[in-house]
Amino acid sequence: MSEPKKVITRFAPSPTGFLHIGGARTALFNWAFARHHGGSFLLRIEDTDRARSTQEAMDAILDGMAWLGLDADAPPSFQHAQADRHVEVAHQLLAAGQAYKCFCTAEEVEAMREAARQAGEPLRYDGTWRDRDASQAPADTPFVIRFKAPQSGETRLQDAIQGDVTFANAQFDDLILLRSDGSPTYMLSVVVDDYDMGVTHVIRGDDHLTNAGRQAQIYASLDWDLPIFAHMSLIHGADGAKLSKRHGALGVDAYRDMGYLPEAMRNYLARLGWSHGDDEVFSTAQLVEWFSLDAVGKAPARFDMEKLDYVNAQHLNQAEDADLTAQTLALDPDLAPFAAQVQAAMPLLKERASRLGDLVADAAFLKAKRPISVDEKLAKHLNEANLAHLAALHVTLNGLEAWTTQPIEACIKGYMEAQELKMGKLAPAFRAALVGNSQSPGIFDVLSLLGRDEALSRLKDKIG
Ligand code: GLU
């Protein structure tokens, strides 16, 4: 019995824009599938469109992949660098009679297009040079090399997600393999590269499904084994419409800047099309353990920022305090002198946070300068009666031996009971004096985290 082939997947972005959410999901599925099977995950930059490929887009893709933690098993390869090999294969097809030189001028091809347009038919090449000999062409006429596509019958694919897919061969015309300047086209390059890289599974968006039909014909004409294709349905917005910027179709760098954790992005992106029962929140190790193409659905997934926030909140809550502290300090260097307090506050901060920015905002009370400025909504709570209570509590709190949450809470609650006061009445006054706004953990914790001196001084500033 022959050994099962080692799984090799690839992510093949064109560096013409940012790594958007759809591309990131494609990369993740290829990565997770390869990791699940102990195979290899490769990154191929499809930079054949020289005019539209930019270094900036290339960097954004590599940065995005690194941030998402989608490590490839080899340095990235560049499609443009393989052009000679693509040309060689085009000539191999030409020699075998599977391709031909087409000498039609741009005007002639445009006229075919126009005729098709007028007839309401698909734009296609009419096969003028398919059966003519190159010797009939006028000397020195530029030519392209076209693939001699089968004109009748069907091309069938067993797609791992879409199932049995059949294309009538009549729907495909003779596509260009080499342009008149000798440069290979995407359709040829992708087939040759996937074959040369030993790719076993091509997992990508279903906007490439028709291309797969054309590519399958090229594989067949070269007598190469087809990889397994798996075409994922595209991502839609929460309202069911095609995903656009309005829905959050941004580059992954935007999600990093918005304060999402890479592990939460991996978790959320995995759920866009793939599922494991009802599991909504899981680790990357679980994703790798559970991932299979069988569990990728055919229906378009919906991208929902609220769900992403929910998943991110769960991952924040599970993250290490020290790690989150470091990230918080990196986002707000002014918190650096308060690093120990930020870390002490982290179990409370992370419980309340949906994004990293929430940690920064909720920790800001630690660095606030005295006298604390109080926002309008809270200012009214610093009335005479409440200030009298704060003054009385200032004395009692000052007498506490241990300055930790529990005795602070017991002390304040004891006072309130004795005075027959409800916490809801005095809490806003405490908050006004200690924080100045509503962005912080609860006031017992705030008192404790500020430390005795700072907390009592903030109270004193308001009591007068
Ligand atoms: N370069 C193509 C794209 O970015 C992907 C090609 C493929 O995955 O086969 O859409």
Side-chain angles (χ1 to χ4, degrees), residues 10 12-14 46 186 190 204 208:
R10 52 46 163 202
S14 305
E46 300 209 318
Y186 158 72
V190 77
R204 61 188 176 188
H208 285 286

Side-chain angles (χ1 to χ4, degrees), residues 101-163:
K101 292 180 181 174
C102 162
F103 296 87
C104 284
T105 61
E107 292 74 32
E108 284 171 310
V109 174
E110 186 43 47
M112 282 173 218
R113 289 225 173 102
E114 191 47 44
R117 233 176 266 139
Q118 301 239 333
E121 282 168 8
L123 311 182
R124 47 189 298 130
Y125 173 70
D126 68 2
T128 303
W129 284 91
R130 185 177 167 105
D131 298 310
R132 285 170 77 179
D133 195 85
S135 61
Q136 294 176 31
D140 299 329
T141 312
F143 61 88
V144 298
I145 294 184
R146 287 187 185 270
F147 178 59
K148 209 178 228 180
Q151 291 179 313
S152 57
E154 289 175 344
T155 298
R156 299 185 73 158
L157 292 178
Q158 251 319 108
D159 190 277
I161 296 170
Q162 304 296 331

